[in-house]
Amino acid sequence: TVSVLYWIPTKNNMAQKFTDLEQGDPADTPIEEVPCYMHLLRHFLGLLLFPFTIFLMWKTVKPKEALLVMCFGKLWKVIYSPGCHIIVPWGCDFHTISTKYVTMDTGNSTISDLNGNPVIVGAIVNYHIEDPIKAFFNVEFVHEYVKVNAGVVLKSVVSKYPYESRDPSAPSLKGCSDEIKTELVLELRKRVRVAGVHVTVFDLSDLYYAPEIASAMLIRQQAQATIDARHLIVNGAVDIVGGALEGLSTKGVRVSEPEAARIASNLLCVLCSEGNVHNVLPLQQH
């Protein structure tokens, strides 16, 4: 598509405001009215330098891009529709803003979790610019702005949760629950809203203990795993012993209390031992 931008001063349009009426323009954009004498000056320069104007007046807008047209320091027009547009270039500055989705790696950083343990955390952020005007006027470097704020949000949120939790239902960094992901996205959205950026994904990509405590935490994890395994073995052995005594009683086998205690002790010894169990039979003297 080709569009021609021109302005002819008449009585009916002397006070007309030049705005882009294409669908997708924000309703509250600070597009300003350019005085008529400035347009007269632009067109006069266009006619005076006509050979150069012919070559400089063609502006191409690609898909997923927005072209901001500044006329004598004022935002005159924002073009969203892709195609070739003809604009008299004199007195105008052109700035192209990409609205494509961007994937950003925050890099790894050392952060203390809720328990004070230093962990190395990295994240991936997916976002796109939904308001090119805010992205251009409100911040200096929009992508750097998003990256710095993503690092701040990452440190703030990670410090609220432990690396891992004994309660499976409790949120933890290792589990990377939906609650943590949602909080990361919402907090970053609040910070980058002023830049016209919309964040869609904020996920943890790297997560592990810092080298200075990695060995100690490994020993702690092994000890905790051993304790949990012992709890499971003992609870299972108690259930087996209880079922065995109940089965004997159901079948009519009478077992006295001392015999039941001895059976329970032997079964628990066999079930809870780590190695092979050897039978020991007492020899009675006659």
Side-chain angles (χ1 to χ4, degrees):
T1 61
V2 177
S3 64
V4 181
L5 302 185
Y6 61 91
W7 188 87
I8 301 176
T10 64
K11 293 182 179 180
N12 295 329
N13 62 8
M14 285 290 291
Q16 181 180 1
K17 186 176 181 180
F18 286 81
T19 57
D20 190 3
L21 300 180
E22 297 172 1
Q23 185 177 6
D25 275 358
D28 58 346
T29 55
I31 297 179
E32 302 182 45
E33 180 180 352
V34 180
C36 61
Y37 68 88
M38 292 186 178
H39 286 290
L40 291 175
L41 178 60
R42 290 178 56 247
H43 287 80
F44 175 75
L45 292 174
L47 294 176
L48 184 63
L49 304 173
F50 185 74
F52 300 97
T53 304
I54 290 295
F55 292 100
L56 299 176
M57 65 191 307
W58 303 91
K59 301 298 177 184
T60 303
V61 179
K62 299 178 181 179
K64 296 294 182 179
E65 286 186 351
L67 181 64
L68 277 65
V69 184
M70 303 287 296
C71 185
F72 294 101
K74 295 183 178 182
L75 178 61
W76 176 40
K77 188 177 180 67
V78 181
I79 302 175
Y80 293 90
S81 60
C84 184
H85 304 266
I86 300 176
I87 307 174
V88 177
W90 309 113
C92 293
D93 293 328
F94 304 94
H95 305 277
T96 301
I97 304 295
S98 175
T99 58
K100 297 178 181 179
Y101 279 87
V102 180
T103 299
M104 180 192 65
D105 186 358
T106 62
N108 293 343
S109 57
T110 303
I111 307 172
S112 297
D113 67 352
L114 181 63
N115 299 325
N117 299 320
V119 293
I120 296 179
V121 184
I124 296 295
V125 182
N126 291 343
Y127 66 92
H128 71 282
I129 296 175
E130 63 179 2
D131 192 336
I133 297 176
K134 290 183 179 180
F136 181 76
F137 287 100
N138 291 354
V139 295
E140 186 69 24
F141 303 103
V142 60
H143 297 293
E144 186 67 21
Y145 182 83
V146 174
K147 185 174 183 179
V148 172
N149 280 277
V152 174
V153 171
L154 183 63
K155 292 181 179 179
S156 175
V157 174
V158 166
S159 62
K160 298 179 182 179
Y161 297 93
Y163 176 83
E164 57 183 347
S165 176
R166 295 184 181 181
D167 185 5
S169 60
S172 63
L173 299 175
K174 190 175 182 179
C176 196
S177 62
D178 293 336
E179 178 181 346
I180 298 178
K181 295 180 181 179
T182 302
E183 185 174 356
L184 287 169
V185 172
L186 294 180
E187 288 296 325
L188 185 55
R189 281 180 182 176
K190 293 178 182 178
R191 288 177 170 268
V192 300
R193 185 181 305 163
V194 67
V197 174
H198 180 72
V199 179
T200 56
V201 177
F202 197 161
D203 287 341
L204 301 181
S205 57
D206 292 318
L207 179 66
Y208 50 90
Y209 282 114
E212 55 266 24
I213 67 164
S215 58
M217 297 309 297
L218 179 60
I219 296 174
R220 176 181 174 276
Q221 289 178 349
Q222 291 175 344
Q224 186 63 44
T226 302
I227 294 173
D228 294 340
R230 285 296 178 185
H231 277 296
L232 181 62
I233 292 173
V234 171
N235 292 335
V238 171
D239 293 338
I240 292 174
V241 171
L245 294 177
E246 185 178 354
L248 291 175
S249 176
T250 302
K251 292 183 179 181
V253 179
R254 297 181 179 180
V255 180
S256 62
E257 291 186 3
E259 291 176 341
R262 187 169 61 253
I263 293 174
S265 176
N266 291 337
L267 285 176
L268 287 174
C269 181
V270 172
L271 295 173
C272 296
S273 61
E274 294 184 356
N276 296 327
V277 179
H278 301 281
N279 296 328
V280 178
L281 300 176
L283 298 177
Q284 299 180 356
Q285 296 181 356
H286 296 283

